Amino acid sequence: MKNSFVMYTDYMEQVSMLSREQRGDLFTAIMAYASNTELPNMDGVTMMAFCFIRSQMDRDRSKYQETIEKRREAGKQGGRPKANGSDEKAKKANGFSEKQTEAKKADNVNENDNVDVNVNENEDEDEKEKKKGTNVPKEKSRFVPPSVENVTEYCRENDYRYVDANHFVDFYISKNWYVGKNKMKDWKAAVRNWQRQESAKHKPYPQSAATEKQEASRGMMYDWAVSKGEDL
């Protein structure tokens, strides 16, 4: 069993939403998943952050296994092929790259193999980008679910009085952050829609009715004062 894995700085997007206690649960879950042991209990927000990270760990594990299989196949065929006119084709056919000078370590790989896999992957991507040219569409930004604090702050800034931040976050966690049949793309838009729906249920008190009641109250106080002989 592999005894190492890669941690990415991109995880900070999910980690920053958690409290220190939740971060401890998240780190324990990551270590448990990497070592194939039982996961700890996690609340909804922590579990959601762990799911993002688990998906990346699964992708890394698949790439690692592919690299191992390529090295084993190369070993069965007698190692690195000799240089000749079709040397470049032979490299691709047998899974060789300039980073595989230690191919015989396939059965006892440590964290350096993770680095090799990622470096080779990045190099391949760079070559693809050069071939495609500069007009490459930008990668879409990933949706990051908000925390209760995020929603509370946004509502405070916009004076949204009909949005319960805890209710909002719990509701969409239960929906896996789906709006109808589609994955949520903009949680702030969802907050604004929530505000409109809730405000429609709680109509503001008519200003004219309030003025009439105030005038009637003043008239009653005046009549009482006159009946008591008070000076106004």
Side-chain angles (χ1 to χ4, degrees):
M1 182 183 70
K2 188 180 177 193
N3 60 359
S4 63
F5 61 94
V6 180
M7 293 286 285
Y8 296 88
T9 55
D10 289 346
Y11 295 165
M12 194 60 191
E13 294 179 1
Q14 285 77 41
V15 173
S16 62
M17 298 188 300
L18 307 178
S19 65
R20 289 186 178 275
E21 182 179 354
Q22 289 172 322
R23 292 175 186 181
D25 291 340
L26 175 61
F27 180 72
T28 303
I30 292 172
M31 294 296 293
Y33 185 72
S35 57
N36 292 324
T37 57
E38 185 177 356
L39 298 177
N41 292 327
M42 291 175 280
D43 58 27
V45 177
T46 308
M47 174 59 77
M48 183 166 48
F50 171 71
C51 289
F52 281 108
I53 296 173
R54 181 181 60 187
S55 297
Q56 183 60 53
M57 291 175 70
D58 290 341
R59 288 191 291 271
D60 288 346
R61 186 175 296 174
S62 296
K63 290 181 182 297
Y64 170 80
Q65 291 299 328
E66 291 175 5
T67 302
I68 294 300
E69 290 302 320
K70 287 179 180 179
R71 293 180 179 181
R72 286 177 178 167
E73 288 299 319
K76 291 178 181 179
Q77 296 177 17
R80 190 184 185 100
K82 295 181 179 180
N84 52 41
S86 58
D87 183 54
E88 196 63 30
K89 293 182 179 179
K91 288 181 182 179
K92 293 180 180 179
N94 291 284
F96 281 100
S97 74
E98 292 304 317
K99 295 293 181 179
Q100 291 176 317
T101 56
E102 298 181 0
K104 293 183 180 180
K105 294 182 179 179
D107 295 324
N108 186 21
V109 184
N110 57 22
E111 65 271 13
N112 291 328
D113 289 292
N114 291 324
V115 176
D116 287 344
V117 172
N118 292 327
V119 170
N120 292 335
E121 180 184 351
N122 291 334
E123 288 177 351
D124 292 340
E125 290 299 324
D126 290 340
E127 290 301 322
K128 290 179 183 177
E129 294 299 326
K130 290 178 182 178
K131 292 178 181 179
K132 290 180 181 178
T134 56
N135 296 325
V136 179
K138 291 185 178 180
E139 211 177 288
K140 292 183 179 180
S141 58
R142 287 187 299 175
F143 171 72
V144 178
S147 63
V148 174
E149 291 75 12
N150 294 146
V151 177
T152 300
E153 182 63 25
Y154 182 68
C155 292
R156 185 182 298 114
E157 292 174 355
N158 293 276
D159 196 28
Y160 292 161
R161 303 182 182 181
Y162 297 107
V163 179
D164 184 329
N166 285 286
H167 186 193
F168 178 88
V169 172
D170 288 343
F171 176 81
Y172 280 110
I173 286 177
S174 69
K175 299 288 185 181
N176 199 22
W177 294 97
Y178 269 79
V179 181
K181 296 182 179 180
N182 300 316
K183 195 73 173 179
M184 183 180 291
K185 297 179 180 178
D186 184 353
W187 64 265
K188 291 183 179 179
V191 170
R192 293 192 294 272
N193 188 47
W194 191 291
Q195 164 70 14
R196 284 191 293 269
Q197 292 178 354
E198 290 300 314
S199 61
K201 298 176 184 178
H202 305 83
K203 294 183 179 179
Y205 193 69
Q207 187 62 33
S208 58
T211 303
E212 292 175 2
K213 284 195 172 185
Q214 289 174 356
E215 292 298 329
S217 178
R218 290 195 188 99
M220 292 174 65
M221 291 177 65
Y222 179 83
D223 292 342
W224 179 84
V226 170
S227 67
K228 296 294 182 179
E230 298 287 342
D231 294 330
L232 299 176

